[in-house]
Amino acid sequence: MKFAAVLKLAALSALVIVGQAQASLQTWRLEATANDLATNLDWIAPDFVAPGSKLVFDYDIDENALNALGIFPGAVKSVTFHGEKSTASGYVLSSSLVLTAINIGSWTPRVNDEVSFLSLSATNSTFTGNLHDTLLNLASNVSAGNAMLRLNFGDHTVFATPTSLTAVTAVPESSTGALGLLGVPALLAVAKRKKQNA
């Protein structure tokens, strides 16, 4: 096999790998309306979670996360809300107890607020071992009004009613983006060599 053909094959393989890796990291947007404080009445909730406030959360979820008995540990890579993106240590749950949830309880300290835990859950759901299907099932429950969102501010809790959960876009990963860029010069080299040989 000629060197140019090998280069071309390597470049095309790199682009395929890039496409697959990018497709696995998906942004899911949750919209909700804050509605209740289940906490000490002496605590004053931040304005952005006052009853009636619209809340928007963007979860970056690795849809290739492994299934460990209905739990997808580490599936949630980051979450963005209230103008701040936080690296997350979150999981998605699809339980035989008919509970589906996205839980995030560990991230770097947030600057804009004091949120320490997020939980989106639905109790009227169907068990599935596939992460994408689990998220679609959770989205269906959100649309049907069968879901609840909980935000913890330390010892204080705010509840919200989720109104929509939708897949927004695939998120490019920096490492795979760099890999894709490696394939471009190889393709250009192959094209130049062919032109010179013609």
Side-chain angles (χ1 to χ4, degrees):
M1 186 180 279
K2 292 185 177 180
F3 179 70
V6 171
L7 272 180
K8 186 175 181 180
L9 182 60
L12 290 174
S13 298
L15 292 174
V16 168
I17 292 168
V18 168
Q20 290 173 341
Q22 286 180 346
S24 72
L25 196 58
Q26 182 79 36
T27 298
W28 285 78
R29 176 164 293 161
L30 171 68
E31 295 185 6
T33 303
N35 59 18
D36 191 21
L37 306 179
T39 186
N40 187 325
L41 295 178
D42 293 337
W43 180 67
I44 299 173
D47 289 341
F48 79 97
V49 290
S53 298
K54 181 180 177 182
L55 308 174
V56 178
F57 303 83
D58 285 340
Y59 297 91
D60 291 335
I61 298 177
D62 180 2
E63 294 196 2
N64 285 343
L66 297 177
N67 180 353
L69 301 175
I71 300 174
F72 301 89
V76 184
K77 300 303 182 187
S78 65
V79 62
T80 303
F81 65 99
H82 191 218
E84 186 174 352
K85 182 173 185 172
S86 292
T87 302
S89 174
Y91 62 91
V92 178
L93 171 68
S94 177
S95 169
S96 56
L97 301 174
V98 196
L99 172 70
T100 301
I102 301 174
N103 291 327
I104 305 170
S106 175
W107 48 48
T108 53
R110 291 178 58 83
V111 176
N112 292 342
D113 52 51
E114 297 176 2
V115 176
S116 56
F117 180 74
L118 275 177
S119 178
L120 170 65
S121 59
T123 54
N124 186 22
S125 54
T126 305
F127 173 73
T128 173
N130 175 282
L131 181 51
H132 185 76
D133 289 345
T134 298
L135 292 167
L136 289 175
N137 182 261
L138 185 53
S140 174
N141 276 276
V142 166
S143 297
N146 296 326
M148 177 188 75
L149 177 66
R150 171 182 172 173
L151 297 87
N152 280 16
F153 294 79
D155 294 334
H156 307 293
T157 302
V158 172
F159 290 103
T161 301
T163 54
S164 69
L165 177 65
T166 54
V168 178
T169 182
V171 180
E173 297 181 77
S174 56
S175 60
T176 55
L179 181 61
L181 290 177
L182 289 176
V184 173
L187 287 173
L188 292 174
V190 169
K192 184 177 180 183
R193 193 170 195 148
K194 278 187 173 182
K195 189 174 180 181
Q196 288 175 346
N197 290 342

